[in-house]
Amino acid sequence: MYRVLILFSVFLISTVVLGHGDEDHRDPKTSQEVSLDEDGFEIISSGPSKDVLNQINEAYKKDVKSIFSNKCLACHGVNNSMPWYYSIPGAKQLMDHDMKEAKEHMDMSNDFPFAGHGRPLDDLDALKKTIDKGNMPPFQYKIIHWKSGLSDKEKKIIKKWIQESKDLIGSK
Ligand code: HEC
């Protein structure tokens, strides 16, 4: 029991002290990208086609979703099973805040493309970045849930999916 209490204090303190990561808050989602061609005319591109997004989603559901369900959806999706310490005063507020913020950034509740403020390609890039840096799930969550970090094997599967998705979208 002591061990749990100590861990819990570390969780609370680290949440308050460390705050959140250094991810950029990006512009609100736009469905269209507007750029100018050589003559100054607007080129409007509507992003990846539905077909491409479907293909990416199929691969996501096949290989990646089960990993994210275990390790990410607690914050980035629907979470029906809150841990026991959710009922401790203070913890509830902190965790609600984390879950709200996580979903604002990237909501994985309805598979790919994820909701939130990023376009599909931005989300893939942001995912790649957090996986390379190893900063998701957040530190304070990993120390409570010992096994919540991504294993090397899982990272490999996710990164393969990211690369294949980016190839499909046509971006390096
Ligand atoms: C304890 C809650 C929690 C868990 C679990 C969690 N995240 Fe997050 N995540 C957050 C919060 C809060 C943010 C927004 C603030 C920040 O960037 O730290 C975030 C942001 C992100 C972002 C940045 C999104 C953007 O728009 O830039 C990515 C990518 C991400 N998480 C991926 C993951 C992945 C992958 C997992 C599982 C391996 C995961 N997260 C697990 C809370 C969580």
Side-chain angles (χ1 to χ4, degrees):
M1 187 61 194
Y2 280 126
R3 209 172 81 132
V4 171
L5 279 178
I6 290 166
L7 274 178
F8 185 68
S9 325
V10 176
F11 168 70
L12 285 182
I13 292 164
S14 67
T15 307
V16 174
V17 174
L18 296 171
H20 288 112
D22 53 1
E23 294 306 320
D24 306 331
H25 285 247
R26 278 185 273 97
D27 287 338
K29 181 178 260 183
T30 47
S31 57
Q32 294 186 319
E33 283 174 67
V34 178
S35 53
L36 296 181
D37 72 7
E38 291 156 10
D39 302 321
F41 288 108
E42 281 189 353
I43 308 168
I44 299 178
S45 62
S46 50
S49 72
K50 244 193 148 124
D51 252 14
V52 164
L53 292 175
N54 277 341
Q55 235 173 306
I56 296 176
N57 193 32
E58 287 311 312
Y60 169 77
K61 286 193 281 193
K62 188 167 145 280
D63 299 326
V64 180
K65 189 177 177 178
S66 61
I67 304 172
F68 282 6
S69 300
N70 280 334
K71 305 196 166 167
C72 317
L73 263 83
C75 296
H76 290 277
V78 189
N79 186 6
N80 300 318
S81 58
M82 294 308 291
W84 62 267
Y85 49 80
Y86 185 66
S87 53
I88 296 179
K92 182 179 183 307
Q93 282 78 358
L94 286 172
M95 292 166 75
D96 283 347
H97 177 269
D98 265 1
M99 292 187 292
K100 185 167 164 283
E101 204 186 331
K103 270 195 281 213
E104 275 166 17
H105 279 258
M106 200 178 281
D107 186 343
M108 305 174 178
S109 309
N110 296 310
D111 301 339
F112 194 86
F114 305 131
H117 65 190
R119 289 166 301 142
L121 194 57
D122 297 328
D123 284 352
L124 291 168
D125 284 335
L127 270 174
K128 183 160 184 295
K129 211 165 106 192
T130 57
I131 285 159
D132 284 340
K133 284 204 273 182
N135 61 0
M136 277 290 146
F139 171 71
Q140 66 269 22
Y141 187 80
K142 270 189 269 194
I143 41 178
I144 288 274
H145 302 260
W146 289 107
K147 295 209 174 84
S148 69
L150 292 168
S151 70
D152 287 346
K153 193 171 158 230
E154 290 170 332
K155 284 186 192 166
K156 233 170 126 181
I157 295 173
I158 299 167
K159 284 177 78 165
K160 182 166 168 276
W161 171 74
I162 293 175
Q163 191 51 54
E164 287 170 359
S165 305
K166 290 183 68 166
D167 289 347
L168 276 171
I169 295 178
S171 151
K172 289 293 145 228

